[in-house]
Structure formats: C-alpha cells, structure tokens
C-alpha cells in the first residue's frame, strides 16, 4: 500500500565574450516575508547531506539527515525570474542558479550570500529568446553553461567568464541543451545534432573546431563511468560506441532529464523515472506515479543511500498541482514521502482578501478585458492561509459540487465568520466555502445569477454591506446586481443605464461608503452609483467629466469618506460622494510638483488596486511600475517599491490587501505573494487595550531602527513619554507627528513608534519611562510603563 508522508517542513571573437559584471543581492528578511509555492519543480541537485530543489522562482534545501527545510526566495535575494536549472558544487559550497532571461545567481552556502551575474542578461548581441540557461556542467573549477545561443565557460574560483562557443554553422547561435565531458572532449547536445570539441584545443571559439558526429535534435548528453549516453527528442536513449550509436531504450513520453550518479544513469520522462546500471544498462529502479500522487515528473536523482528524489509538476489542463519532491527508495518505489515547504497552490496569484487573520487567494481570474478563457490557470483551487499554515482547497474538491468551476477570481469573506468565503467564478457562478470545504455553488439554477450564454455566468466583484448582505456583480447580464440576504436572492436591472447588459464587459469593484451609498466600478461605464430604493443611477465615465478612461479597475473609500478610483489609464478622486449621489459628481486628479514642474500623479498608469491603511495613507498597485505608498492626500510618495529596490518578484502587482490588526501589507503578483511589515495598524475606538512592546527593551534590541511600538491607540491622541522624575522625553500628536517625517516619536494610525531618543536627540539612559496617553476627542487617558535596559 502506498503511504503518504509530508515534510513541510556570439559572433566569432578571439577574446572572452563577457566581462565581470556582478552584484551582491540584498537580504530583505527584516521587513518582508515571502509566500511562494514549492509544488512545481524545475530542477534538483544534491550534495553529500543536502538536496537543493528549484521551484518556479524560489528554492528550498532539504537536509537528508534531519529533514530540515530551508527556503530561498526574493526575500533572501533571488531575482524572482523563472528558474530553469540549478547545480550544486560540494567542493566550492556554491549553488548555481540559472534563469530563463540569462541571469545567473551564485548562492554561497557558507556565507549565505547571493551573487548576481548579469553579463548574459545585458549582452546586446544575444537576442532575448536565446539567453535562457539550460544546463550547468561543473568540471573542477569551470562550469560549462548550456544556453540557447551556445556554450559559455564560467570559472567558480575567479567568479568570472572565460570563453564562449558559438558552435552553429558559420558561428551561428544555436540551442545547446546539455554538455558532457568524455575522453578529452566536450560533447554538446543541440537542436541540430551532437557536436564535440577537443578540450585541449585552445581555439574552440572557432566553430570549425567543433565536429558534428550526428544530426537530428537532441535533449541531453551524459557521461557515466567511461560510457557516453545521449537522449534524442524521439524519446530514445542511445549509447555512443565506437563512433556509432546504439539504441538502449524507448519511452512513451519525451525525456525531461538526463543525469549521472556514480555508475548509474538516471532518465526522467513525464511519466516515469528509470535508474540504470551503466555497465550493462540493467534497470535498477523504475518509478511511476501512483494514484495518490497523480502528477507529472520533471527531473530526478539518486544518492549514495539509494534514495530517489523525483521532481513533480502540476497539470493546469485538469487543475492539478505538483507535489514538490517525491522521495522513494530502490527497495520500494511505490512508497513516497512528499517533501516541500508549506505554501500556496500556485505562485500565479490573482486576488487576495484578508479578514481576522485569514488570507484567501485565487489564481485563475480573467484578463484585462474580463475574458476568463485566456488565463493559464483557469482550472485552479483556492489558497487559504491562517495561523501560519496554508489550508488549500484543491480544484478537485470544488469539482465535486460544480461541473466547471473555472476562473475563480474575486473574494468576499463573511465579516462575522472568516471561515466562510464566497469566491466568484467567471464561468460557473459563485462558490461558497465553509471551513475550507466547498459547500455550495450558486448559479442560474439556484440563485438570481444568470449566465451570459450556456454555462458562462461571468461573476466578478462582490462585497458585504453593513447589514451583512452579500452583493454580487453578474457581468453581461440585464440584471447584474444581485443580493443574498437571509438566504434569499434578489436581482436589480441596470437596463436604464446599460442596455443591453452585454454592452459592459465586466464589473471590477462594488463598495459602500459610511452612508451605505453603493459605488460600482465597470469596464465600459466608469463609476456607477445606484440607489436600490429609487432605482436611480449616477455614473461618470467620459473624458469631459474628468475620467481618463471608462475602464475602472478598482474603487476604495478612504478614512475621510473620499472615493479613490483606479483606471487602466490613471488615478482619480471624488472628494465629495454626496455630490456624486446627487448627480453632481466632480472628479479630480492629483497634481504634484516634480522638480518644480506640475504633473499628474500616476499619469496613464494601469492601476490594479488601491488600499487605505490605518493612517489613511494609500497603497496603490500598478502594472509595470510596482507598488506605491502615498500620503493621505497623495502629495507625498513615501515608498515606491519595485523589483530593483525590494523583494518584489515582478513590477506587475495584481492585488494588495492590509491586515488592519498589525498593519502588514500583502502584495499579490503572478510570481508569488510577499508581505511588508508597515506597522500602520487601524486605530481603536478606545485606549483600553493599548500596550507597549518590547517591554523591557533589552540591550540587544536595536531601538533606533526597530523602535518601541505603542499599539492599539485611538484615532486622535496625544502621547507624552516622561522619565521617572517627570521630565518630558518625547511628545507626539496624531496628524502632527506623522510617520516618515523624522520625529523621534511618530504616530501611524493605531501605532506609535519611538526610536528611544529624547528631545535633544540622544538615546535615553536605562530606566523606567512613563507613556501618557490622552484621547483628544473623548479625554480618555491611560498610562503605560516601559523599562529600557542599555
């Protein structure tokens, strides 16, 4: 019986092509956390005690002795690009990481640093499509790097490039998938044949010095104990014998990986892994997927203890995720241990939503025109994070209650029970999850949600109102607005505005202000205000009304009741929503001074999301240009996070949400999710639960940079810090001593931060300090004590 056990735990030249062009990656682990998927495996490599595993754009190591798992991601300095190949050098204690854009990163295991080598990325004579790193072949201190343009040699001791070989006809760039060293030659598997060059030849940069020994297209070449084996793209393995080729094996699927260990050859196809004794090519192990692990194989290796590690990947066509690494042994190849870090189903995030510490995420969605059929992961489940653990809902489990639950997108979490979530499907309707179990699917059969045609329901934005009713937008319908209240459905016609309903491609947002006024973001009709009692519509969409586009991608109401809206061509604000409701809406852009020149903030930028934190500051997500953090009025850019200055894996930000309790900002991209510790928590109604931490402040705490936090403050407070003799040490007031202004004591929403300095700018001495809190609106007071030990 199969058992499951999871440990989550270039042109011909006579000199070197590249010059040394390196940078040390920054570690962002102090303020950032990464949430990456490690289920779909690209490559695997091993040392004596560890196995290194590459997922889509992150890496983990697995200790064979302790089962300990350690992750590497953009938080530690990885690039976030798609990984194609890795190889570990035990002698040098270095892990080489290759990417599809030509980047190479070198992870120093001893110093735990990452070096980025960008020579190939920045080489203008190599087309972008030819820069992919296909294979690392480590020979002593040299690495033969197989790429889509040829072969480059990199020295691990000097950490610099040597020669580059363009081995196509007339020095053309051709794809080299793998190299092997055999009997004094370097052999290269290419798309046009097997080529070889004499290693002792000092002129290998001349393509004429390379001999083609056979034509056709080859995916791999590997030397094992005095023998040379080659993988051809016709699903066959050959041995090179006496200048001829002998077929050794034929497979049902294409060969994905070819490698050697001691005297063994490991051949991995999509459906099986085989280990052969190179002496007689006898089969030592034959590994296939089991019913419990219905997956595709990508790579594999065997170690000295005869443990086998198989990389897996999912099948998007049927909504299957991979299983990370499957570990088995020669003695029982049907017994698997599943090895990977805890994580979401996929790195391709679409929408996220947070409520009471619960994070729900979808991965399917739709394109910029609300088309659900063009996305790559239309068949995918829901990732759910709670209590530091992912509790994911697989696509298979949703299939049990719906025939085609594809393109899951927008999320609404029940405000009184975060274990209940409603997930929109652009195909099938509306999914209800309860305690991670799919319990209901609403569609044309059991609700007012109606399909656009056949089974295509095009359900998008949703939200809860102040009374606990769920509102759901049903796009391309004459009755697009639907309400679920007390288990009863009601729908509302938009024909007075949108006639026919198919004239609008989709609804991106639906929100309510403090007066329960409803605002809806649409693709073709801008921002819509609808009164269900009077059936009255107001909307703004035209350029003459101040709108840069009819396509509104996101809406939010800030703490001052102002309506912020993001379009595919910029940012706009409605300062007075009452005027909007009365049919007199005024739409404004934000004008800022840039080197003394007035310009529109985020002019023509594609805005995907706007979120408001506890300080009323704005987090604005964009496509192409990263994530912005603006002051409450948008006049000051506090942060602008991009791929270059943060651990963002991409500048395409698809969604953002904020945990109001702790101020952590979660950022969703199509290459993973990360979070940023902003400290801007939501103000509380009273000072009753206010507290200070750390307490005591010990000598090893960096008080200047990490700061003492005073949490759960009310909305409008004065704070005085006094020493034990009653002398004023620091003072701050809401809206005056705001964060990022350089104050020693600053207030950010419901949190105050003190850098330990007094009014004179000096760090305070050891002692007990009193923190006097005074609510300026209610006159409530509270006194806290904090001990500082230096």
């Amino acid at each position: 019986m199969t058992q499951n056990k999871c440990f989550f735990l270039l042109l011909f030249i006579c000199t070197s092509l590249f010059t040394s062009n390196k940078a040390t990656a920054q570690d962002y682990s102090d303020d950032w956390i990464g949430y990456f998927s490690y289920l779909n495996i690209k490559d695997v490599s091993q040392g004596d005690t560890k196995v290194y595993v590459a997922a889509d754009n992150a890496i983990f190591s697995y200790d064979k002795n302790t089962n300990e798992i350690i992750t590497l991601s953009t938080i530690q300095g990885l690039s976030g690009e798609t990984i194609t190949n890795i190889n570990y050098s035990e002698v040098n204690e270095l892990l080489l990481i290759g990417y599809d854009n030509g980047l190479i990163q070198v992870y120093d295991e001893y110093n735990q640093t990452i070096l980025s080598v960008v020579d190939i990325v920045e080489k203008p004579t190599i087309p972008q499509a030819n820069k992919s790193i296909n294979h690392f072949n480590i020979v002593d201190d040299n690495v033969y790097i197989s790429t889509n343009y040829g072969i480059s040699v990199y020295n691990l001791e000097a950490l610099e490039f040597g020669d580059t070989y363009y081995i196509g006809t007339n020095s053309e760039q051709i794809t080299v998938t793998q190299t092997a060293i055999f009997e004094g030659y370097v052999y290269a598997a290419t798309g046009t044949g097997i080529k070889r060059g004499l290693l002792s030849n000092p002129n290998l940069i001349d393509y004429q010095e390379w001999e083609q020994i056979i034509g056709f297209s080859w995916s791999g070449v590997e030397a094992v104990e005095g023998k040379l084996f080659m993988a051809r793209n016709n699903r066959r393995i050959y041995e090179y014998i006496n200048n001829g080729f002998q077929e050794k094996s034929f497979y049902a699927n294409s060969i994905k990986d070819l490698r050697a260990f001691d005297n063994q050859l490991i051949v991995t196809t999509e459906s099986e892994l085989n280990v052969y004794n190179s002496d007689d090519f006898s089969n030592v192990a034959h590994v296939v997927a089991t019913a419990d692990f219905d997956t595709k194989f990508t790579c594999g290796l065997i170690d000295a203890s005869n443990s086998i590690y198989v990389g897996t990947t999912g099948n998007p066509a049927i909504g299957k995720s991979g299983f990370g690494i499957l570990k088995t042994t020669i003695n029982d190849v049907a017994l698997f241990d599943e090895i990977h870090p805890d994580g979401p189903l996929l790195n391709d995030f679409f929408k996220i939503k947070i409520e009471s510490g619960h994070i729900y995420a979808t991965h399917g969605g739709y394109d910029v025109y609300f088309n659900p059929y063009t996305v790559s992961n239309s068949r995918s489940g829901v990732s759910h994070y709670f209590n530091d653990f992912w509790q994911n809902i697989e696509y298979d489990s949703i299939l049990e209650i719906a025939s085609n639950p594809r393109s899951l997108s927008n999320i609404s979490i029940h405000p009184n029970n975060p274990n209940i979530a409603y997930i929109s499907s652009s195909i099938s309707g509306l999914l209800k999850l309860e305690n991670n179990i799919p319990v209901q699917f609403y569609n044309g059969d059991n609700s007012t949600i109606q399909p656009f045609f056949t089974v295509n329901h095009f359900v998008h934005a949703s939200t809860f109102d102040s009374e606990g009713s769920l509102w759901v937008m049903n796009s391309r319908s004459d009755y697009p607005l639907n309400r679920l209240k007390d288990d009863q459905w009601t729908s509302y016609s938009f024909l007075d505005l949108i006639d026919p309903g198919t004239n609008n491609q989709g609804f991106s947002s639906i929100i309510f202000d403090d007066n329960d006024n409803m605002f809806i973001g649409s693709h073709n009709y801008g921002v819509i205000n609808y009164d269900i009692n009077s059936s009255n519509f107001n909307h703004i969409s035209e350029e003459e009304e101040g709108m840069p586009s009819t396509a509104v991608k996101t809406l939010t109401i800030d703490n001052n009741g102002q309506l912020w809206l993001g379009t595919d061509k910029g940012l706009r604000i409605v300062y007075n929503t009452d005027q909007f409701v009365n049919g007199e809406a005024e739409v404004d852009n934000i004008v800022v001074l840039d080197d003394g020149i007035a310009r529109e903030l985020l002019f023509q930028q594609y805005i995907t999301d706007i979120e408001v934190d506890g300080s009323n500051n704005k987090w604005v997500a964009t496509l192409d240009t990263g994530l912005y953090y603006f002051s409450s009025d948008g006049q000051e850019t506090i942060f602008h996070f991009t791929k270059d200055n943060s651990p963002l894996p991409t500048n395409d930000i698809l969604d953002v949400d904020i945990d109001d309790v702790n101020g952590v900002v979660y950022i969703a991209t199509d290459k993973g999710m990360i979070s940023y510790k902003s400290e801007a928590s939501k103000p509380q109604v009273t000072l009753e639960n206010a507290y200070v931490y750390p307490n005591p402040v010990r000598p090893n705490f960096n008080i200047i940079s990490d700061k003492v936090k005073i949490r759960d403050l009310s909305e409008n407070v004065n704070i005085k810090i006094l020493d034990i003799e009653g002398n004023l040490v620091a003072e701050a007031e809401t809206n005056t001593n705001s964060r990022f202004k350089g104050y020693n004591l600053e207030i950010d929403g419901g949190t105050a931060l003190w850098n330990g300095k007094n009014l004179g700018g000096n760090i305070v001495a050891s002692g007990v300090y009193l923190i006097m809190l005074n609510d300026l609106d209610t006159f409530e007071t509270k006194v806290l004590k904090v001990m500082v030990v230096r």
Side-chain angles (χ1 to χ4, degrees), residues 7-28:
F7 297 115
F8 285 111
L9 307 167
L10 290 142
L11 295 176
F12 171 62
I13 52 178
C14 296
T15 58
S16 173
L17 170 65
F18 302 113
T19 58
S20 179
N21 191 351
K22 303 180 284 288
T24 301
Q26 182 175 344
D27 189 306
Y28 296 98

Side-chain angles (χ1 to χ4, degrees), residues 602 605-608 620-628 651-653:
L602 299 182
Q605 290 291 303
Y606 193 114
I607 313 295
T608 55
V620 181
T622 72
L623 291 184
D624 296 334
T625 60
L627 179 67
Y628 294 84
N651 287 331
D652 294 335
I653 314 301

Side-chain angles (χ1 to χ4, degrees), residues 540-550 572 587:
I540 47 175
S541 62
E542 301 302 324
E543 184 177 350
E544 295 79 14
E545 298 173 298
M547 293 288 290
S549 169
T550 64
R572 290 295 185 268
V587 181

Side-chain angles (χ1 to χ4, degrees), residues 7 167 199 309 320 338 374 554 565 570 594 667 682 726 729:
F7 297 115
I167 60 177
L199 275 177
Y309 299 84
K320 289 279 190 179
E338 182 182 349
T374 60
T554 184
L565 56 107
D594 184 7
I667 306 157
K682 185 177 181 180
V729 174

